[in-house]
Amino acid sequence: MSLQSSMIFGFLKTPLETMIQLYTTEVIPHLTKRNKTIGITTAIVLSSIYFIRDTIFKPPRNLRHLPYFGYFSVIRSLMKGESMFDRGYSAHIPLVNARPDGLYVEPGKVGWEVHVSNPEDVKHILLKTDVFPKADFNKGSEFGLLNKFVAGPNVIIISGDHWKSQRKVINPAFRRSMPVKLFGQLTQELFLTIEKLGSTVDVSDLMMRCTLDAIGRAGFGFDFSAIRDSNSHWTTLYNELTEGFRDYKFFIFPALDQSLLWLFPKRKILHQKLDIFMDKLDQVIQSKRNQLSEGHTSNIDLEHERDLLTLMIESEQRGDGALTDLELKSNLCLFFFAGHDTTSSALSFAIYHLAKHPEIQERARAEAIDILGDEPTDILPTAEEIKRMSYINQVMKETLRITGPVPRLGTRIATEDTILSGTFIPKGTSVLISVFNTHHSDKIWHDPETFNPDRFSDEQGAQGWLPFGGGSRLCIGMNFSLNEQRVMISMLLRKYKWSFPEGSSFETELVTSGVPVVAPEGLKMTFKKRY
């Protein structure tokens, strides 16, 4: 079976089985024995033709008042190797900019989805969680690689009272956790690695390693040693899993990762490796619980430098609520995926933009030197100092606008008929907020494809900026990630000047890959020491 055939089969399997079953139980008994074989064959062919014509090529009838992209458009994009950014530029943005409502329909993980980008519509969806609750991310792909990792009982998946009880434990942990000193120490380790590798390094790889160590140590006190050793056991294992999570075809076509997994033996091995990683998390959680129950406190004196797992268990002990081991593990997996991949991509994109625009790099460096001084030695910023980095913060915000690592927010379901930008959206519709479209629409931003940190010198663009979502479900790790970026970028600016190596394709084209998190692919940079 070809790859394209298997993709299509993944979509057709359940509806066709249902049609065949109905035909077998309701129609065949009334046929003569001689005509049964012909009847079954005819039914399958006719049902297939009808289903493909009316479901694959077109959205549901109640959404056909909106422009749409069909399944084969998505498959064609996949076959061409387009990243989510590439597809946004080639297909979505021209349509969004041409329509007042900015709406269109496209098949996604939960079926046909209405993509929304106008800020007022986005705000309405994010604030009206009763009207637009999150779709079941797990439905239909419970045993896919990514879902097994992040689709458990955690704060991004659950809702209602269950969600509120978890936030009661997790919110205080994130408020108390701000390991600025740890971020600085990891950046110093990064400097040592750059020195060993030479002046030209793979930034994409280094940022992945650096943020993996950050989330490991700040998340649950586990040292991957990724910065020092890219081939360490757990680093290699997690990186293999990360590559698997980013594989577009398994995200868009979940059947390939489940009922058709036998077609992909390498993918099956990844599932086995994920089981090993999850077992390791179970061991870490149990060990941490035992240590704290026996009165062994953290050897870190400053509470805000303790790992999140310790802080969450301590919240339980204070009576703020309790999480089961399964809930703790599921949230740690979420912190990994959201805190590692996204921050790694954001840092890589920031380094790219600062190389692309040397004048902006110099201006950001001047601010870092003004705040931290220009002594020829590594300075670890304090929490108070990073709050003063206004221009570096603008660079980060513009990076997250023009190359936000998460192009789309989780799908929601309209529980009642509603109006978005004057357009009727029927009850039961899957609605998806397109961060990429919002961030690149010329109806929202002046000259949206120009990298311009000054657009964030005031709050002018705040309503159209949503890399961390919004409303009550705003990303819980937003400040954690932003502070990690502030520390690393400011320290890099003081230590180095950087530029593209000679002949780099990134000088003319930004090459990206990944889903649902997008990152620059193979970004290399030449660093020149200042001291």
Side-chain angles (χ1 to χ4, degrees):
M1 182 186 295
S2 69
L3 179 59
Q4 185 166 346
S5 298
S6 65
M7 290 175 177
I8 297 171
F9 181 74
F11 282 118
L12 300 184
K13 183 178 179 183
T14 301
L16 279 182
E17 285 179 347
T18 302
M19 287 185 237
I20 293 169
Q21 182 180 1
L22 287 172
Y23 193 83
T24 302
T25 56
E26 301 298 329
V27 178
I28 288 180
H30 302 285
L31 296 175
T32 64
K33 184 176 181 179
R34 181 172 59 86
N35 291 329
K36 280 185 180 180
T37 301
I38 298 174
I40 293 173
T41 303
T42 302
I44 293 174
V45 171
L46 291 177
S47 298
S48 300
I49 292 172
Y50 177 82
F51 180 74
I52 291 172
R53 180 187 64 81
D54 210 53
T55 307
I56 295 295
F57 288 127
K58 297 180 180 180
R61 294 184 183 278
N62 61 1
L63 294 179
R64 291 182 189 172
H65 59 293
L66 295 171
Y68 63 88
F69 300 94
Y71 276 111
F72 289 112
S73 173
V74 175
I75 293 171
R76 186 166 56 250
S77 175
L78 175 62
M79 295 299 187
K80 288 167 60 180
E82 287 187 329
S83 73
M84 295 182 78
F85 285 6
D86 295 334
R87 180 157 178 79
Y89 281 124
S90 66
H92 301 152
I93 290 299
L95 190 151
V96 167
N97 286 337
R99 286 180 59 87
D101 60 11
L103 301 173
Y104 61 87
V105 186
E106 185 173 74
K109 200 168 188 301
V110 297
W112 290 95
E113 300 166 336
V114 173
H115 288 232
V116 180
S117 58
N118 284 353
E120 287 303 313
D121 294 336
V122 170
K123 181 179 178 181
H124 178 64
I125 292 169
L126 291 175
L127 294 180
K128 294 285 186 178
T129 55
D130 55 333
V131 179
F132 296 98
K134 286 196 171 184
D136 185 355
F137 180 75
N138 219 18
K139 187 176 181 181
S141 53
E142 293 87 345
F143 304 106
L145 189 73
L146 180 61
N147 282 53
K148 284 166 64 176
F149 189 60
V150 297
N154 58 57
V155 289
I156 200 172
I157 299 296
I158 60 177
S159 56
D161 291 339
H162 191 187
W163 173 76
K164 291 177 182 177
S165 66
Q166 283 203 15
R167 290 284 293 221
K168 190 177 179 182
V169 176
I170 297 171
N171 273 6
F174 269 97
R175 282 198 299 268
R176 288 151 53 205
S177 175
M178 197 46 62
V180 173
K181 183 179 178 181
L182 171 62
F183 296 152
Q185 292 168 339
L186 291 173
T187 307
Q188 286 182 308
E189 291 184 26
L190 174 66
F191 293 165
L192 294 174
T193 300
I194 291 176
E195 294 299 305
K196 292 177 182 178
L197 292 174
S199 60
T200 299
V201 298
D202 187 331
V203 168
S204 301
D205 175 63
L206 280 180
M207 291 304 104
M208 290 285 282
R209 290 158 61 180
C210 201
T211 54
L212 180 58
D213 276 349
I215 197 62
R217 287 165 63 176
F220 56 95
F222 182 80
D223 189 359
F224 282 90
S225 299
I227 300 174
R228 297 187 297 273
D229 181 9
S230 63
N231 296 315
S232 66
H233 172 70
W234 292 107
T235 300
T236 301
L237 177 59
Y238 187 73
N239 285 341
E240 289 176 352
L241 292 172
T242 299
E243 286 301 308
F245 298 151
R246 288 172 177 268
D247 196 321
Y248 198 3
K249 61 180 175 292
F250 293 101
F251 182 80
I252 299 296
F253 306 105
L256 302 181
D257 213 12
Q258 300 182 120
S259 57
L260 299 176
L261 184 60
W262 57 274
L263 289 170
F264 305 93
K266 290 183 179 179
R267 186 74 173 182
K268 191 172 182 179
I269 292 173
L270 275 185
H271 279 259
Q272 295 167 354
K273 291 184 176 181
L274 177 60
D275 293 339
I276 294 171
F277 186 81
M278 300 293 265
D279 287 342
K280 181 63 176 178
L281 288 182
D282 283 329
Q283 295 170 24
V284 170
I285 291 169
Q286 192 56 54
S287 175
K288 186 77 71 174
R289 280 198 184 279
N290 292 340
Q291 291 173 17
L292 294 176
S293 65
E294 293 169 2
H296 299 299
T297 57
S298 171
N299 58 3
I300 299 175
D301 295 330
L302 296 175
E303 182 183 59
H304 59 261
E305 293 286 341
R306 295 180 193 167
D307 64 82
L308 288 166
L309 179 58
T310 294
L311 292 171
M312 286 190 290
I313 295 175
E314 288 178 347
S315 291
E316 295 180 14
Q317 294 173 341
R318 288 197 307 271
D320 292 336
L323 298 181
T324 66
D325 286 354
L326 177 60
E327 290 171 332
L328 279 172
K329 180 171 71 172
S330 182
N331 279 287
L332 286 180
C333 290
L334 172 63
F335 301 158
F336 256 109
F337 190 72
H340 169 239
D341 270 20
T342 56
T343 304
S344 167
S345 295
L347 284 165
S348 297
F349 281 130
I351 291 170
Y352 160 81
H353 289 298
L354 291 172
K356 187 82 172 173
H357 304 279
E359 72 287 357
I360 295 176
Q361 183 182 150
E362 284 302 320
R363 186 174 165 188
R365 179 173 295 108
E367 180 179 76
I369 291 172
D370 181 59
I371 294 172
L372 302 176
D374 202 16
E375 295 180 25
T377 184
D378 297 344
I379 302 295
L380 274 62
T382 66
E384 290 304 314
E385 286 170 334
I386 62 175
K387 290 178 183 177
R388 294 164 50 199
M389 297 177 180
S390 57
Y391 187 68
I392 290 174
N393 194 59
Q394 288 170 217
V395 170
M396 288 162 44
K397 293 186 77 170
E398 178 68 340
T399 296
L400 291 169
R401 181 196 69 82
I402 201 167
T403 44
V406 183
R408 302 170 181 176
L409 300 183
T411 307
R412 287 152 168 84
I413 304 295
T415 58
E416 59 185 47
D417 292 343
T418 190
I419 301 292
L420 296 177
S421 290
T423 302
F424 175 72
I425 304 297
K427 176 181 177 180
T429 299
S430 297
V431 177
L432 183 147
I433 295 173
S434 174
V435 176
F436 183 89
N437 291 347
T438 303
H439 284 178
H440 289 262
S441 172
D442 60 14
K443 293 180 292 186
I444 303 168
W445 308 92
H446 172 68
D447 200 8
E449 300 312 318
T450 296
F451 185 81
N452 178 20
D454 283 331
R455 71 174 82 241
F456 290 102
S457 59
D458 53 34
E459 293 301 313
Q460 180 180 358
Q463 284 204 357
W465 189 77
L466 54 140
F468 296 96
S472 62
R473 305 293 293 242
L474 181 72
C475 176
I476 197 170
M478 180 178 73
N479 289 328
F480 185 95
S481 174
L482 290 176
N483 284 331
E484 183 179 355
Q485 293 177 53
R486 290 183 186 107
V487 170
M488 292 190 176
I489 291 173
S490 63
M491 290 182 67
L492 279 166
L493 286 165
R494 285 188 74 256
K495 183 83 171 183
Y496 299 101
K497 293 184 178 182
W498 61 85
S499 59
F500 297 112
E502 187 176 349
S504 171
S505 61
F506 278 90
E507 289 192 87
T508 56
E509 180 185 11
L510 175 60
V511 182
T512 61
S513 64
V515 64
V517 178
V518 177
E521 185 175 332
L523 174 64
K524 293 186 178 180
M525 205 65 63
T526 298
F527 286 87
K528 182 179 179 180
K529 287 176 64 174
R530 294 186 63 251
Y531 61 83

